[in-house]
């Protein structure tokens, strides 16, 4: 079963905070699997090879089946875990975070470290922007011109999305409806077209709203 909705990030981003002269740089990247997460971590370790620590955490899978984190030499539980807690707390899937620390000469203590690593991870994620992915079912509805106005009206009234309209001797609407409303939508279309429209369920696809536009993850 595909998830009806989930939260993730779409683009790599970074954010930096300074705590008592220590620099914390959080880099965040979307990852599809553990291999991608590992590659990203290696990349960051190479980029920040002279840093004091490169702490990481990632969470992958529909049910967050894969959760890993590393303190990379910081006192146990003060670094990787707070970063993972941010991902888990916000339920952000398929995302990896590396927090790079350049030591500034002042010890932060365990509480200070937990706060600094957690805060920088949060800032990195805010900088990337959390995207809510919604599972849509895509329908093709082919109908005659007289019925098309009625279908268009009902589709928009019910808050579904007309993704495309193709005019030939008939009218074809490509409609996106949230997957959990697909059956109700299908029944209503049969009803209002008196069974005259050809209604085909094409596939399921994730979409995300960005700046008022729906971006489909083809």
């Amino acid at each position: 079963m595909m998830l009806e909705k989930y939260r993730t990030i779409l683009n790599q981003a970074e954010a930096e905070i300074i705590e008592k002269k220590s620099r914390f740089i959080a880099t965040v990247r979307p990852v599809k699997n553990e291999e991608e997460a590992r590659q990203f971590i290696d990349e960051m370790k190479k980029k920040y090879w002279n840093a004091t620590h490169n702490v990481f955490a990632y969470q992958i899978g529909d049910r967050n089946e894969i959760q890993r984190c590393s303190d990379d030499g910081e006192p146990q539980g003060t670094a990787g875990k707070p970063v993972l807690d941010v991902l888990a707390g916000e339920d952000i899937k398929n995302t990896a975070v590396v927090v790079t620390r350049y030591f500034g000469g002042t010890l932060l203590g365990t509480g200070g470290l937990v706060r600094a690593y957690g805060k920088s991870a949060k800032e990195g994620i805010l900088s990337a922007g959390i995207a809510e992915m919604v599972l849509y079912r895509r329908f093709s509805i082919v109908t005659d011109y007289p019925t098309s106005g009625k279908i268009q009206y009902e589709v928009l009234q019910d808050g579904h999305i007309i993704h495309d309209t193709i005019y030939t001797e008939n009218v074809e609407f490509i409609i996106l409806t949230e997957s959990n409303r697909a059956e109700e939508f299908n029944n209503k279309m049969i009803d209002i077209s008196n069974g005259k429209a050809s209604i085909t369920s094409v596939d399921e696809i994730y979409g995300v709203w960005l700046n008022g536009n729906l971006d489909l993850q083809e």
Side-chain angles (χ1 to χ4, degrees):
M1 271 293 285
M2 292 166 84
L3 293 175
E4 283 173 13
K5 288 184 180 168
Y6 71 93
R7 289 149 66 84
T8 188
I9 62 157
L10 298 178
N11 302 301
Q12 181 166 322
E14 64 175 59
E16 185 177 324
I17 66 167
I18 309 279
E19 290 285 337
K20 294 185 179 169
K21 296 184 183 155
S22 272
R23 282 176 72 204
F24 292 86
I25 305 158
T27 312
V28 184
R29 183 184 288 180
V31 289
K32 290 191 184 72
N33 50 45
E34 202 155 10
E35 192 185 340
E36 282 188 13
R38 290 275 167 204
Q39 280 172 351
F40 165 57
I41 292 156
D42 290 344
E43 221 176 280
M44 290 301 108
K45 284 184 171 175
K46 282 196 186 85
K47 180 178 176 181
Y48 297 113
W49 60 272
N50 60 344
T52 324
H53 304 279
N54 281 299
V55 163
F56 71 77
Y58 54 86
Q59 175 163 275
I60 299 168
D62 284 359
R63 309 278 177 281
N64 306 326
E65 300 89 311
I66 301 170
Q67 290 182 316
R68 305 265 185 278
C69 63
S70 157
D71 295 315
D72 193 37
E74 290 281 33
Q76 194 181 347
T78 62
K81 176 87 167 62
V83 175
L84 183 59
D85 284 348
V86 172
L87 290 173
E90 294 280 352
D91 196 16
I92 298 168
K93 300 179 188 303
N94 304 340
T95 300
V97 183
V98 175
V99 180
T100 303
R101 181 189 184 191
Y102 285 92
F103 182 56
T106 307
L107 292 170
L108 296 182
T110 54
L113 286 172
V114 168
R115 275 192 301 279
Y117 278 106
K119 183 179 171 189
S120 52
K122 221 169 220 156
E123 292 295 327
I125 286 162
L126 282 175
S127 157
I130 299 173
E132 183 169 55
M133 308 300 286
V134 177
L135 184 61
Y136 290 98
R137 182 164 280 287
R138 187 161 26 192
F139 282 93
S140 156
I141 298 183
V142 180
T143 184
D144 56 21
Y145 279 83
T147 316
S148 66
K150 194 156 66 163
I151 286 179
Q152 187 170 1
Y153 175 79
E154 289 294 338
V155 165
L156 296 174
Q157 277 293 99
D158 285 349
H160 305 296
I161 299 151
I162 298 178
H163 188 60
D164 201 2
T165 312
I166 301 133
Y167 298 100
T168 52
E169 64 272 20
N170 290 312
V171 181
E172 182 183 8
F173 295 111
I174 304 297
I175 313 281
L176 297 167
T177 171
E178 289 192 24
S179 65
N180 59 353
R181 297 179 64 197
E183 198 178 332
E184 157 210 333
F185 170 79
N186 193 43
N187 294 340
K188 185 162 188 182
M189 289 299 113
I190 293 168
D191 196 31
I192 62 167
S193 69
N194 295 324
K196 281 193 298 196
S198 155
I199 303 162
T200 313
S201 167
V202 182
D203 58 6
E204 283 191 317
I205 187 166
Y206 281 108
V208 60
W209 287 93
L210 296 170
N211 307 321
N213 295 314
L214 181 66
D215 182 32
L216 295 178
Q217 306 294 298
E218 300 276 10

